[in-house]
Amino acid sequence: MMTRPEMIRVAGGTRLYGEVPVLGAKNAALKHMVAAMLAPGDHVLENVPSIADVATMGEVRAYAGATCRRDGTRLHIAVPEHPRPEAPLELVRKMRASILILGALLSRCGEARVALPGGDDFGSRPIDMHLDGLRDMGASFELKHGVLRAYAPDGLHGTEIYLEFPSVGATENLLLAAAMATGTTVISNAAREPELTDLAMYLNKMGAKIEGAGTSTITVHGVGSLASATHRVVPDRLEAGTYALAGAISGGEVRVLDCVPDHLRMELRKMEVAGCEVTFGADWIHVVGPDRPAPVDFATLPYPGFHTDMHPQMVAFLALADGTSIITENVYAARFRYVGELNRMGADISTDGQHVVVRGTDRLSGCEVDGCDIRAAAALVLAGLVAEGETCVVHAEHIDRGDAGYVEKMSALGARINRS
Ligand code: EPU
């Protein structure tokens, strides 16, 4: 039976005011759940958002034999002595991040069978760097009937790995594999994302010896075993940035709480250039939106560059700018499906596949639009906040994959928004 797509309806024209707290980062919590597989026993993750992707990762790990129990924002994870080294297609298809279980299972079990993830709306998204690195550490692979079979019967060994691009997932998979490998692994041109640094902190609490996380060279001295641990997940900078932009686009005033402003340096700088008044403290950001944004150019880049997952939301903001902005997408081959949807609302945006030219307009008008991925759906809701009339974002279930309580939090800030 076809399930009806979720819809979010938002009526434009209300300025948002107030405070909004954020929870732990999806893109950290998911990796931490995989990392827990490296040590049998009872782990506790704190500040975990109640989102669909966390539930899916729970299923991936349940398949491997680990159980999860949620108690508010705490996740209690029980990991068995002998996990089942497998992740099936129906789960990997639901969420590409399932591929991260490869390094952990190989390390724990000496083998793994993980269905190969396909492409998605952002392009083909290969995993060649994950596999090349694991191969250098002694793993071998065989692809049969869509399932990747990985073997390392003699265990994994440390080596020097140079990534051709600072891939977040490849760095994380290799980190998970290297934590208990024999000898030392050095990952050069490693990703520097805060979520990855947080993963290394959790692994170190479990007894790993990882140095240099947050820099381009990470050194992992393999240890014989790891022990269960408790860890608080780093705040979600994408959730924080999206609420900051919600305040900005509506011309209102929003204070985002429980976040790390330093993790959004580039994004906040660009918002200031666009005319926002931005102030921040240790764990809050206060944004006052302009009457009309000034145009801004930006290019997405790995951290600490402008985050690709803030790109659609920022474009929604700039769609209303007094002038033309040029955006260059450097992380994904295809991240532009939302452009056509914004244009349906009256935006004037064109793209050649890598660049987006946003000619600012002074008004958008609400209509039905397709929220084709988490960030696109969030961006279309932002546009709906200022569009004339009602905007109906279909496939809004994507938002639930990454953002806990988006509609409720927007509503608490004064947005006229509901689900149907
Ligand atoms: N890439 C390769 N080969 C590889 C690995 C990556 O060509 O072996 C390419 C990808 O195709 C992509 C680029 O490198 O074009 C960057 O991919 P990366 O591996 O850095 O991203 P990821 O680990 O697959 C994570 C987040 C994404 C986020 C990116 C970039 C998770 C679960 N996902 O993906 O988050 O956009 O890093 O920061 O952590 C989201 O949350 O909405 C989301 C898509």
Side-chain angles (χ1 to χ4, degrees):
M1 194 180 70
M2 294 276 288
T3 48
R4 196 166 143 261
E6 291 252 345
M7 283 187 208
I8 291 179
R9 292 180 189 279
V10 51
T14 309
R15 292 178 193 259
L16 303 195
Y17 287 97
E19 297 184 339
V20 58
V22 301
L23 278 171
K26 162 180 92 74
N27 289 346
L30 295 176
K31 324 303 169 62
H32 297 17
M33 291 173 76
V34 173
M37 294 301 289
L38 291 175
D42 297 324
H43 298 251
V44 180
L45 293 177
E46 297 170 343
N47 203 28
V48 178
S50 184
I51 51 175
D53 274 11
V54 164
T56 304
M57 187 56 91
E59 288 177 53
V60 172
R61 291 157 359 96
Y63 199 88
T67 56
C68 277
R69 182 173 57 80
R70 189 179 262 285
D71 161 20
T73 55
R74 284 176 148 231
L75 203 60
H76 298 261
I77 303 173
V79 177
E81 281 294 339
H82 300 290
R84 176 182 182 184
E86 207 164 329
L89 182 61
E90 63 268 24
L91 296 177
V92 177
R93 228 185 218 146
K94 261 197 204 169
M95 191 182 63
R96 289 187 91 263
S98 316
I99 193 67
L100 284 177
I101 204 154
L102 188 63
L105 288 179
L106 255 178
S107 166
R108 270 302 298 281
C109 314
E111 61 169 327
R113 291 180 295 281
V114 179
L116 204 62
D120 60 15
D121 279 345
F122 305 161
S124 65
R125 294 184 76 181
I127 54 161
D128 52 322
M129 284 185 258
H130 301 232
L131 302 189
D132 288 348
L134 291 170
R135 221 175 258 121
D136 289 348
M137 296 179 72
S140 56
F141 298 98
E142 188 186 19
L143 179 64
K144 255 192 181 167
H145 309 300
V147 175
L148 190 68
R149 290 158 190 263
Y151 307 93
D154 302 325
L156 297 168
H157 57 74
T159 186
E160 288 194 12
I161 298 168
Y162 190 93
L163 295 177
E164 66 180 73
F165 179 88
S167 153
V168 177
T171 308
E172 288 166 342
N173 229 335
L174 296 171
L175 206 57
L176 293 167
M180 289 201 296
T182 309
T184 298
T185 304
V186 180
I187 309 171
S188 299
N189 199 24
R192 292 182 282 166
E193 269 62 8
E195 296 76 21
L196 189 140
T197 307
D198 198 55
L199 173 66
M201 282 169 68
Y202 174 40
L203 286 167
N204 282 344
K205 281 185 190 165
M206 289 164 66
K209 290 199 163 43
I210 301 169
E211 295 156 8
T215 75
S216 297
T217 305
I218 302 180
T219 304
V220 188
H221 304 286
V223 296
S225 64
L226 296 173
S228 55
T230 295
H231 184 75
R232 185 172 177 82
V233 178
V234 66
D236 196 321
R237 61 193 159 119
L238 301 170
E239 194 189 358
T242 302
Y243 290 121
L245 273 174
I249 198 170
S250 73
E253 190 169 344
V254 164
R255 186 178 284 243
V256 186
L257 306 176
D258 305 333
C259 59
V260 184
D262 200 40
H263 292 166
L264 279 165
R265 255 172 301 166
M266 187 59 74
E267 294 78 4
L268 294 177
R269 208 166 106 193
K270 293 291 177 182
M271 285 175 65
E272 277 183 319
V273 178
C276 298
E277 238 180 85
V278 179
T279 45
F280 52 85
D283 63 354
W284 55 265
I285 301 168
H286 191 98
V287 173
V288 182
D291 284 337
R292 192 170 176 195
V296 177
D297 297 342
F298 69 91
T300 66
L301 283 170
Y303 188 81
F306 195 103
H307 200 314
T308 177
D309 292 339
M310 286 296 294
H311 151 176
Q313 301 92 311
M314 188 70 177
V315 169
F317 180 45
L318 296 175
L320 291 152
D322 187 9
T324 299
S325 311
I326 298 180
I327 290 92
T328 306
E329 172 59 52
N330 290 312
V331 177
Y332 289 116
R335 174 157 225 168
F336 298 113
R337 267 189 62 195
Y338 74 93
V339 164
E341 303 304 307
L342 282 176
N343 283 344
R344 299 192 66 242
M345 297 177 73
D348 182 358
I349 308 175
S350 51
T351 173
D352 66 356
Q354 194 191 359
H355 304 96
V356 189
V357 178
V358 187
R359 292 178 193 84
T361 170
D362 60 359
R363 70 172 60 90
L364 297 175
S365 69
C367 62
E368 183 173 307
V369 284
D370 187 351
C372 41
D373 69 70
I374 306 178
R375 312 304 167 190
L380 292 165
V381 170
L382 295 188
L385 290 172
V386 275
E388 286 167 2
E390 187 181 79
T391 299
C392 176
V393 182
V394 295
H395 291 124
E397 64 275 13
H398 285 296
I399 287 183
D400 302 331
R401 287 190 48 202
D403 207 328
Y406 190 65
V407 169
E408 295 73 12
K409 287 180 181 178
M410 285 288 194
S411 175
L413 290 172
R416 288 178 293 151
I417 184 168
N418 61 65
R419 279 178 186 277
S420 59

